[in-house]
Amino acid sequence: MPAGVDVVVEPGRVQVKGPLGELSQVVPLRMSIDRDGDTITVTRPTERGEDRSLHGLTRTLIANMVEGVTQGFTKTLEIQGVGYRAGMRGSDLELNVGYSHSVVVKPRPGISFEVPVPTQVIVKGTNKQQVGQTAAEVRKVRPPEPYKGKGIRYADEVVRRKVGKRA
């Protein structure tokens, strides 16, 4: 456990408080979660496939909460296309991506947007699932098309290009 992180384990629920905020998660009752000093141990009742899956899920959820309240999560999106750009309107994200109007995306609670350059959007937050969901919703405004590659894509995404029509 990093310094400054407080974990409260209740039956069926884990709460993590840290410098960036507070998160809580419902966990399966079958898993026993023990806190021993700076370590949290998740143990499974049996070796059945379902219990093994829940064991890994529970461990990962707790690890993501700890990482979220200490460092936070980010997703970077890139905008490609002539005249395509993003900007901030207060705390909302304004996208001009080839429609006749600009599209405004409001952030969820605990999520913030950054636009360091007009062709890049950074989604930040403490909850990994919400950061990914918000980034997916922004990408859905104009997904990358396979012929010219125009649209909104993740920074590490590779868009497979198709050959256009042949004359």
Side-chain angles (χ1 to χ4, degrees), residues 8 30 33 37 42 52 72 86 89 92 95-96 103 124 131 159:
V8 178
R30 295 176 56 88
I33 302 167
V42 180
R52 291 170 50 168
R89 186 191 291 174
D92 298 343
L95 299 169
N96 296 313
V103 178
K124 290 184 168 187
V131 168
V159 177

Side-chain angles (χ1 to χ4, degrees), residues 86-94 113-115:
M88 295 298 294
R89 186 191 291 174
S91 64
D92 298 343
L93 178 68
E94 183 178 16
F113 295 118
E114 273 185 25
V115 183

Side-chain angles (χ1 to χ4, degrees), residues 106-160:
K106 297 190 180 300
R108 301 165 179 262
I111 300 293
S112 63
F113 295 118
E114 273 185 25
V115 183
V117 283
T119 59
Q120 190 177 44
V121 176
I122 299 174
V123 182
K124 290 184 168 187
T126 57
N127 190 330
K128 186 174 186 177
Q129 190 271 334
Q130 285 187 348
V131 168
Q133 182 66 36
T134 305
E137 289 170 0
V138 170
R139 182 183 180 276
K140 190 176 177 183
V141 170
R142 178 70 86 171
E145 54 97 14
Y147 295 102
K148 291 184 179 177
K150 295 173 17 174
I152 303 172
R153 66 178 73 183
Y154 297 112
D156 56 353
E157 181 179 7
V158 176
V159 177
R160 292 190 54 195

